Amino acid sequence: MYFMTVVVQSEETADELITGLMDLGVTMSVVVEATDALEMISHHVPLFAGFRMMSGGSITRSRAILSIVESDLQLAHIKKFISRTISGGREERDFYVVIPMIEGGPLSNLIPNSR
């Protein structure tokens, strides 16, 4: 079992990824709206205002998709799907992280059966 995080800046790409993950059987996901750290610091800390040119001038929103992936095979399918979805280098600041999990699942698994 794995914990996977995918961060994209395009809303359209996020929508495609979420739909595709559902099609691939990833049912435990959450999407978090986020702001890129470079953009945040360039707009809110005067000392770093020069970074504004590097970040493109305006604050854009990113989407972080946090998911639980249940198997190696499912992860392989997801990685192929993601590479097809974002092919062409449209988003140079998008990234993903996959971390092996020791334990996880629905919170209802933690509730003991009371009889």
Side-chain angles (χ1 to χ4, degrees), residues 4-32 62-69 74-87 90-91 93-97:
M4 181 179 72
T5 301
V6 180
V7 178
V8 295
Q9 292 188 350
S10 163
E11 186 173 350
E12 294 80 23
T13 301
D15 291 346
E16 287 179 53
L17 292 175
I18 295 162
T19 303
L21 290 173
M22 295 290 277
D23 290 344
L24 291 169
V26 178
T27 57
M28 290 187 280
S29 292
V30 65
V31 179
V32 179
S62 297
R63 282 121 192 109
I65 305 166
L66 313 174
S67 303
I68 294 177
V69 179
Q74 189 179 40
L75 181 61
H77 290 303
I78 290 167
K79 287 165 57 175
K80 285 181 186 176
F81 165 71
I82 290 173
S83 71
R84 285 192 315 265
T85 303
I86 62 170
S87 64
R90 295 183 293 191
E91 302 292 341
R93 291 200 276 178
D94 296 350
F95 64 91
Y96 78 103
V97 177

Side-chain angles (χ1 to χ4, degrees), residues 111-115:
I111 300 172
N113 292 334
S114 56
R115 294 185 185 219

Side-chain angles (χ1 to χ4, degrees), residues 54-66:
M54 289 173 54
S55 69
S58 64
I59 293 181
T60 58
R61 300 289 178 218
S62 297
R63 282 121 192 109
I65 305 166
L66 313 174

